[in-house]
Amino acid sequence: AGADRRRFGMEHPRRRRPMTPADEARADKEAGEPLQPRLEFPRLDPLQRPLLSIGPYAAAVSALGRWRSWPGLRLALTGAPGSGKSRLLRAWAAETGAAVARGAMLEAASMEEISSLSVCALAVDDADAEADQRDRGLGLLAALNLCEDRGVPLLLAGRDPPAHWRTAPGDLVSRLKALATIAIPEPDEAALAWRLGEACALRRMHV
């Protein structure tokens, strides 16, 4: 029992780094448990501060609000680290009731496990991430097939344009190249000032 607690980070949590999706997949494999995507279902927080819908975020916020009109009900959201794409993805998931998965967890699960998921919408954060698997890209391909077969919307978020996410398999590459994409540009001065104000407000600092 003590070994199990240590392996899953249940002892001295402040001294251990948070488990990444790849760590969780390895822990499940060592424990003999099936590797399944760990889905989250974000909820709207009435106390959460509103999203910035002007400046560099205007196009992305507008596109997310028109999800019923996405070509094939799919959209890729791209931006540099810290650009706010994860927050936008989770806000969209909360609005639509979408399940949220991380790219590395999809790659660690089998195509059969992904195809058996029951979701009304799916959001994949860090969709350009790859787990330490030989058949890379099959998890993301399975997620695309799942949403297409069920006619549910799919939002993917990554750093670079989706055409650069994978080099194989060919079916996945061609479908990623065809994805409608909205990019979050570099923030302007007004956006930087707003983000600074948000960071201070979360820490109850007055500026």
Side-chain angles (χ1 to χ4, degrees), residues 128-153:
D128 50 350
E130 294 183 349
D132 187 16
Q133 300 288 318
R134 181 176 60 183
D135 298 326
R136 294 177 176 179
L138 294 183
L140 187 56
L141 179 60
L144 284 164
N145 290 336
L146 168 73
C147 293
E148 181 178 350
D149 292 343
R150 300 187 182 179
V152 300

Side-chain angles (χ1 to χ4, degrees), residues 30-97:
E30 291 173 1
E33 299 175 3
L35 298 178
Q36 295 183 357
R38 296 177 183 270
L39 302 180
E40 301 176 44
F41 292 88
R43 295 182 178 180
L44 287 174
D45 183 354
L47 300 179
Q48 184 175 351
R49 301 176 70 84
L51 295 171
L52 181 64
S53 57
I54 60 174
Y57 301 100
V61 171
S62 176
L64 293 180
R66 302 192 308 271
W67 62 268
R68 293 179 179 83
S69 302
W70 295 348
L73 289 178
R74 303 174 190 167
L75 183 72
L77 178 65
T78 64
S83 62
K85 58 183 179 293
S86 292
R87 185 181 177 190
L88 288 175
L89 177 141
R90 290 181 172 275
W92 178 82
E95 288 280 2
T96 60

Side-chain angles (χ1 to χ4, degrees), residues 106-192:
L106 287 181
E107 295 305 330
S110 70
M111 297 186 72
E112 292 76 14
E113 289 164 347
I114 296 171
S115 64
S116 66
L117 295 175
S118 178
V119 296
C120 63
L122 182 62
V124 181
D125 202 4
D126 295 326
D128 50 350
E130 294 183 349
D132 187 16
Q133 300 288 318
R134 181 176 60 183
D135 298 326
R136 294 177 176 179
L138 294 183
L140 187 56
L141 179 60
L144 284 164
N145 290 336
L146 168 73
C147 293
E148 181 178 350
D149 292 343
R150 300 187 182 179
V152 300
L154 172 65
L155 176 62
L156 306 173
R159 178 173 182 172
D160 300 312
H164 302 298
W165 289 357
R166 297 291 191 279
T167 57
D171 184 26
L172 175 61
V173 173
S174 62
R175 293 164 79 172
L176 290 176
K177 289 180 178 179
L179 272 178
T181 304
I182 187 74
I184 302 175
E186 292 293 325
D188 54 21
E189 291 187 4
L192 287 174

Side-chain angles (χ1 to χ4, degrees), residues 9-18:
M10 297 176 66
E11 294 184 359
H12 307 297
R14 294 182 180 178
R15 298 182 183 179
R16 299 177 66 89
R17 64 178 176 81

